Amino acid sequence: MSDKKKVLFIINPISGAKKRIPLDQLIDRYLDKKRYEPKLHFTTARGDAIAQSHKAVDEGFHMVVAVGGDGTINEVAQGLVNTGIPLGIIPRGSGNGFANYLNIPHDPGKAIALINQAQSRAVDTGTFNGKLFLSVAGLGFDARVSAAFDVFGKRGLLSYMYISAREYFRFQPKTYRIDMNGSTVETKAFLLTMANSSQFGNNAFIAPNALIDDGLLDVVVLKPAGLFGAIGVSIRMFMGTLDKSPYCETYQADNLTITHQDSEAQIDGEPVLVEKETLIKVQPRSLQVVS
């Protein structure tokens, strides 16, 4: 009987805008075959990674590795939360916010070397009306951009920047009621983000001080700033100083309810439809991640 640990690589073959690489050959080359027995699955549709991750748990795999962007990582994590089975990551997405926070190398060979070490840590996850998120979930402008980007047809940072600029001139801020920590905040906001980790992706820091294992979410309210103010906000976001902006308010909570007029939201960069009341909760240290 083999003493090797079974590892399932769930690969999204169309993630990101990067040059296609022979992932099967790289895994064969860099994975420690003395310790691990790999199996590869290439996803065929949205939701496939969720089913495969649950199946891997049932079949006794020792680790499941997500190869893709934040959306793929989220799907794989859905099968692993509260199981103790670690999630490995090979970043191949457009933004890679979760991997960036954990300092996981973008180079596949180096990411596989990290998987060989199999050192995992427990991190928090969040739920947004019961749907899992690892990095960020939000309402407002980032949700609008996420929905537009999803149907745009081209991936990558330049496409995201184009969509953001286009949607900025169409977007109308709305009023949100936030119930948290026993009190209520009612505010007009350009966007409202619940951050478990610090960034959207591409090193755009929406919550520079967020910690992924403190049992709390950073609730970021970004106020309407006008065109020139928005330029300053964007610069601060990439400098990691958004929390110093006069247009930014940050709270912390382990659960909150938001009453709003939005019909769309984003969860780890993926667009979702929402009702007028949204419940967000943190699940402390509920996921093991190799990092």
Side-chain angles (χ1 to χ4, degrees):
M1 187 174 179
S2 175
D3 292 329
K4 294 181 181 180
K5 294 185 176 181
K6 296 196 300 179
V7 181
L8 176 63
F9 290 81
I10 298 178
I11 302 166
N12 182 347
I14 60 170
S15 274
K18 299 179 176 68
K19 179 182 177 182
R20 304 297 172 225
I21 59 173
L23 286 163
D24 51 349
Q25 295 176 30
L26 287 171
I27 290 166
D28 184 65
R29 176 179 176 184
Y30 289 106
L31 189 70
D32 185 352
K33 299 297 186 8
K34 294 179 181 178
R35 299 175 61 193
Y36 300 110
E37 180 184 331
K39 179 181 177 181
L40 278 59
H41 175 84
F42 291 86
T43 59
T44 56
R46 186 169 288 178
D48 186 21
I50 302 172
Q52 293 300 321
S53 182
H54 280 293
K55 185 178 178 182
V57 172
D58 292 340
E59 293 181 352
F61 278 81
H62 297 88
M63 183 191 303
V64 182
V65 180
V67 186
D70 287 328
T72 303
I73 295 166
N74 177 295
E75 287 199 4
V76 174
Q78 289 184 47
L80 303 181
V81 170
N82 295 317
T83 67
I85 297 173
L87 166 71
I89 297 170
I90 300 177
R92 298 295 299 164
S94 299
N96 301 308
F98 191 62
N100 288 350
Y101 179 91
L102 294 168
N103 294 315
I104 294 174
H106 288 203
D107 177 86
K110 293 179 180 178
I112 295 169
L114 201 62
I115 290 165
N116 284 333
Q117 296 175 23
Q119 297 294 316
S120 66
R121 59 181 287 197
V123 303
D124 302 337
T125 60
T127 60
F128 187 99
N129 282 345
K131 295 182 173 69
L132 182 81
F133 69 94
L134 303 180
S135 290
V136 292
L139 298 158
F141 182 68
D142 59 329
R144 176 83 289 274
V145 170
S146 175
F149 185 62
D150 189 55
V151 298
F152 184 59
K154 295 181 180 179
R155 312 305 284 176
L157 179 59
L158 290 178
S159 295
Y160 190 84
M161 292 174 66
Y162 166 76
I163 292 292
S164 297
R166 187 190 73 185
E167 295 300 321
Y168 176 83
F169 293 101
R170 303 175 177 177
F171 185 76
Q172 294 296 320
K174 298 184 180 71
T175 298
Y176 299 86
R177 173 186 164 129
I178 312 167
D179 292 294
M180 58 184 169
N181 302 326
S183 62
T184 298
V185 174
E186 191 162 318
T187 182
K188 191 172 186 180
F190 182 69
L191 64 78
L192 175 57
T193 299
M194 282 56 68
N196 186 38
S197 66
S198 59
Q199 61 169 282
F200 285 136
N202 292 306
N203 294 314
F205 293 89
I206 184 64
N209 301 310
L211 298 174
I212 207 164
D213 56 3
D214 62 354
L216 295 168
L217 299 170
D218 280 28
V219 182
V220 181
V221 178
L222 198 57
K223 300 293 188 67
L227 180 58
F228 291 108
I231 293 171
V233 163
S234 298
I235 292 170
R236 282 190 176 276
M237 197 175 291
F238 284 99
M239 291 178 64
T241 60
L242 183 61
D243 56 317
K244 304 295 194 298
S245 169
Y247 300 106
C248 181
E249 294 177 357
T250 303
Y251 308 87
Q252 287 189 315
D254 59 1
N255 69 83
L256 60 150
T257 301
I258 305 171
T259 306
H260 56 87
Q261 298 301 312
D262 291 1
S263 60
E264 56 194 8
Q266 65 87 9
I267 298 177
D268 285 337
E270 300 294 323
V272 296
L273 298 177
V274 288
E275 301 296 332
K276 302 307 179 186
E277 187 171 273
T278 298
L279 178 62
I280 299 102
K281 296 181 179 180
V282 70
Q283 303 180 114
R285 300 183 182 239
S286 52
L287 179 67
Q288 290 289 331
V289 181
V290 177
S291 63

